[in-house]
Amino acid sequence: MGKQKNILLIMSDEQRTDTLGCYGNPRAHTPHLDALAREGGYFENCITPYPLCCPARASLWSGALPHQHHVVANWFHIREDLRAGGMVQDFANAGYHTLYVGKWHVPGTTPQRLGFSRRDAVPAVLEGRDRGRYIEDYRRYAEAKGYPLIPGNIENLTPNDETKRIGGGAVHCGTSDIPLEDYLETWQTARFLERMAECPEDQPFFAVCSYNAPHFPMLVPAPYDRQISPEEVLLPDNFCKGTEGKPGEVMNSRDYLDTKDFTEEQWRSLIAHYWGFCSLIDDQVGRIVRWLKEQRKYEDTILVFLSDHGDMIGSHALNHKSGLMQYEETLRVPLVMRGPGLADMGRKEMIVSLADVLPTLAGLCRVPIRKAEYGQSFAAVLPDGEDHFRSYAVSEGFANCHNGNGRYEDPRRYTAGENRPMVLAIRTPQEKYIFHQADIEEYYLLDRDPGENENLAKRPEVKERLRTLRQLALRQLEDTPALRRLAEERMRQLD
C-alpha cells in the first residue's frame, strides 16, 4: 500500500474567491496560495452549503446539509447523533493522529467529540456561543504584552480600536493597535507549528489550522493595512449595482442599511483592508509550508486551503453574509489542493460542495468512512482530468434564526406560523436559482450575467425552467417532510 499520506487543512473565515491571485485578481498579494494552486489545482466552483459560519462548518465536518444537521444558523446546536464520532473519527480509527487548532464554530459539540485527539487555541464559549477571536490563551498573552483589551470584547479590541469606524457607523476599518508580531493569526500559527512538532513520527497526521481572519472587523495589522492602496482596488461589475429586483428581505437587511450611504472612497478603503487581511493569511500559509519542507513532510502531505463562506463587501451595495444572500460572492469559496496524486490539476471548473471535502480526502487516502448524507467524494475524477462531478450544488438559509444563543431546534418540526422562512439556492454551471419562502424568487444566467445584476425570475420565457429548478430544490427536502410541505405551499403560489 505504501506510505500513508498526511492531510493538512488550512481554513480561513469569510474569504471570497476573488481575494486570491490564482482566481484572477491581479491586485491580490497571495503568492503562497498561488504557488500551491500551480503545483496542484484550484476549484472555481466550490459552493458552501450555507453562507454563514456555523452552518457551513457543521456541513464541512458532517457532510450533511444544514436542514439535515440542524445548525440552521449561528449557534444552533448540531443534531444530537452527529455530536460524536463522524468522519474525523474514521480517520483516527484508520491510524491518523488528529489535531485541531483555532476557530471551531460548530455549536453543540467539540473537536474532541468529533474525533480530534489533540486541540489547541480553540475559542471560548460565551453565553452559549463559540466566539471566533476570543481565545483565552491569546488574550492572556496579549494582555501580558501590555495591550489593553476591552474586558469581554469578543473581537479582542482595545479602546482605541473600538473607535475606528467608517463614518462613525457600524463598520470597523483601520489599523489594529496590536502589531503583527503579537497579532492573533501570527500567534496562532506559532501554536499550530508547536503542536505539529509534537505529532507522533510513526503515524500520519490529519491536522487543521482554522483562522478567524479575514472575518470582520477590518482592523488589520501593519503592513497589511497599507499593502493594497484603495486606488488599486478593482471594483467588480456589480459594485453597488443590481439592487433592483432583489428581494425586500435582502435590501431591508442590516447588510444593506448599515453601508448604503458609503462613498466609493469608503468602500475602497474597506475592500483594501479586506484584501490585505487575506494577504496576512497567505503569509501564514507560507510559514506552514516552510515548516513542512524543513521537516521533509511536504511531499507526503495533501494540503488543502478553503474558507467557510465569502463576503459581499460592496457587491450589490451589500456587506457581510447571511443565508438570505445566496450570491456568488458569499456562495463560492476558495478551494486549493496540492499533494501526492494531485500534481498539475490546474483550474477545475467542476461544481463541488464544501460538504464533499472530507469524503474526497478519504477517497484520496483510501480511508473507509461512513456515508455522508449529502457530501460525496470527487477523488475518482481528479487523476484523469474529468471536470464533471455534480450537475448542481445546493445552499440553504433560514431567515430570523440568527440568534441561537447555544440552543437546539429541530427544523423537521417547523410550521408556517413559526416565522422560520427558508431560502434554497440551486447552483448549476450556467445559472442560479434562489427560492425565498417569504419573498420573491431570483434567477440569474451566470454565463451572461456573472455579477447577478438582473433578476430574470419574472420573465415569461424562463417559466418552465423555474418549475424544473423548484423541483430540484424540493428534492433536497425529501428527508424532511415538514420543510418540503412549507416550500411546496409557497411554490404553488409562485407558479
Side-chain angles (χ1 to χ4, degrees):
M1 181 176 174
K3 187 176 181 180
Q4 184 62 288
K5 303 166 186 173
N6 301 311
I7 297 170
L8 200 163
L9 192 154
I10 303 173
M11 190 173 190
S12 64
D13 191 305
E14 199 158 322
Q15 185 166 359
R16 53 193 261 177
T17 57
D18 65 3
T19 57
L20 276 66
C22 60
Y23 282 90
N25 185 345
R27 301 289 192 267
H29 289 259
T30 53
H32 304 291
L33 285 166
D34 296 345
L36 295 178
R38 286 193 299 271
E39 287 182 28
Y42 65 100
F43 293 77
E44 189 71 38
N45 296 303
C46 181
I47 306 301
T48 184
Y50 195 131
L52 199 65
C53 298
C54 293
R57 290 164 183 264
S59 289
L60 171 67
W61 299 118
S62 71
L65 289 171
H67 82 269
Q68 295 169 330
H69 60 56
H70 298 179
V71 184
V72 292
N74 279 348
W75 306 300
F76 282 78
H77 282 196
I78 196 167
R79 204 174 79 203
E80 186 172 2
D81 62 307
L82 297 176
R83 295 176 189 176
M87 291 183 284
V88 176
Q89 185 62 55
D90 292 335
F91 278 92
N93 294 342
Y96 276 80
H97 175 74
T98 51
L99 166 67
Y100 195 99
V101 175
K103 183 169 183 173
W104 178 237
H105 237 36
V106 182
T109 189
T110 64
Q112 299 100 308
R113 292 188 69 187
L114 283 192
F116 289 99
S117 57
R118 187 73 192 272
R119 53 155 275 178
D120 198 357
V122 173
V125 176
L126 305 175
E127 298 178 352
R129 305 181 185 188
D130 159 8
R131 308 315 301 241
R133 281 191 175 96
Y134 198 96
I135 298 172
E136 291 172 329
D137 281 356
Y138 173 72
R139 288 181 65 86
R140 284 191 287 269
Y141 166 85
E143 288 167 347
K145 287 277 189 171
Y147 304 110
L149 302 183
I150 299 172
N153 184 278
I154 62 172
E155 307 293 357
N156 301 327
L157 301 185
T158 67
N160 187 46
D161 280 334
E162 173 58 30
T163 67
K164 299 169 185 175
R165 299 170 181 267
I166 293 182
V171 179
H172 290 86
C173 181
T175 304
S176 172
D177 274 6
I178 302 178
L180 178 62
E181 60 267 25
D182 294 322
Y183 201 72
L184 173 60
E185 272 65 28
T186 308
W187 173 88
Q188 182 180 315
T189 302
R191 289 290 284 261
F192 176 69
L193 295 179
E194 287 174 12
R195 300 292 83 80
M196 286 292 290
E198 297 168 355
C199 289
E201 289 293 332
D202 59 349
Q203 287 180 267
F205 58 76
F206 184 117
V208 180
C209 186
S210 175
Y211 293 106
N212 197 85
H215 192 288
F216 61 85
M218 295 304 153
L219 296 171
V220 183
Y224 301 98
D225 60 330
R226 295 289 183 268
Q227 188 172 58
I228 300 165
S229 71
E231 293 74 25
E232 283 185 283
V233 168
L234 300 175
L235 298 174
D237 71 350
N238 61 7
F239 172 70
C240 291
K241 286 171 54 181
T243 57
E244 303 81 8
K246 294 289 186 287
E249 63 183 6
V250 171
M251 303 316 297
N252 291 323
S253 68
R254 287 190 58 188
D255 304 303
Y256 173 72
L257 298 176
D258 282 350
T259 52
K260 68 181 179 67
D261 295 324
F262 274 20
T263 65
E264 181 176 311
E265 181 182 8
Q266 289 171 323
W267 275 118
R268 283 182 174 276
S269 177
L270 185 63
I271 295 169
H273 281 80
Y274 178 61
W275 288 3
F277 224 173
C278 295
S279 184
L280 182 154
I281 288 294
D282 181 79
D283 279 346
Q284 304 314 304
V285 172
R287 290 175 64 189
I288 293 170
V289 167
R290 283 194 297 274
W291 185 91
L292 289 172
K293 291 179 176 178
E294 290 166 359
Q295 302 299 314
R296 299 183 179 178
K297 299 178 184 295
Y298 185 69
E299 296 304 327
D300 297 324
T301 299
I302 294 175
L303 202 155
V304 179
F305 177 81
L306 51 76
S307 194
D308 50 0
H309 55 80
D311 191 306
M312 295 305 294
I313 206 154
S315 293
H316 310 306
L318 295 163
N319 199 30
H320 302 328
K321 79 288 180 186
S322 79
L324 298 173
M325 300 188 298
Q326 301 273 341
Y327 305 120
E328 293 291 274
E329 293 77 17
T330 60
L331 213 61
R332 290 171 59 235
V333 295
L335 175 60
V336 177
M337 298 178 68
R338 63 77 53 202
L342 300 174
D344 303 319
M345 292 189 299
R347 179 177 182 265
K348 306 294 288 183
E349 295 190 21
M350 59 199 285
I351 289 181
V352 301
S353 171
L354 209 58
D356 298 328
V357 171
L358 257 64
T360 299
L361 291 173
L364 290 170
C365 298
R366 299 183 181 179
V367 171
I369 61 169
R370 63 207 69 193
K371 181 177 174 57
E373 292 175 76
Y374 177 70
Q376 305 173 39
S377 171
F378 53 84
V381 304
L382 292 179
D384 59 9
E386 175 62 53
D387 254 359
H388 181 72
F389 174 55
R390 290 183 179 273
S391 56
Y392 64 93
V394 180
S395 181
E396 305 177 349
F398 289 83
N400 304 325
C401 281
H402 298 290
N403 191 22
N405 290 319
R407 68 173 182 264
Y408 173 75
E409 282 191 6
D410 189 342
R412 294 171 296 186
R413 298 175 182 166
Y414 283 179
T415 66
E418 286 187 296
N419 195 25
R420 294 283 190 264
M422 75 188 86
V423 181
L424 300 172
I426 300 293
R427 172 59 155 79
T428 77
Q430 293 84 30
E431 61 192 342
K432 168 86 62 62
Y433 168 70
I434 310 172
F435 165 74
H436 292 261
Q437 187 191 353
D439 215 309
I440 62 172
E441 293 175 295
E442 297 180 80
Y443 179 67
Y444 304 98
L445 289 174
L446 301 176
D447 51 350
R448 303 179 197 173
D449 178 22
E452 299 169 296
N453 286 317
E454 186 178 8
N455 181 6
L456 303 175
K458 292 185 178 180
R459 296 280 188 89
E461 63 267 27
V462 303
K463 185 176 182 179
E464 290 304 317
R465 182 58 182 160
L466 290 187
R467 286 175 175 163
T468 300
L469 291 166
R470 288 176 195 138
Q471 291 307 307
L472 291 183
L474 286 174
R475 187 181 301 171
Q476 311 311 311
L477 301 176
E478 288 178 352
D479 56 357
T480 314
L483 291 181
R484 183 183 171 99
R485 283 194 297 272
L486 293 176
E488 282 179 323
E489 180 181 343
R490 174 60 178 154
M491 288 179 182
R492 282 194 294 269
Q493 297 170 355
L494 293 167
D495 200 31

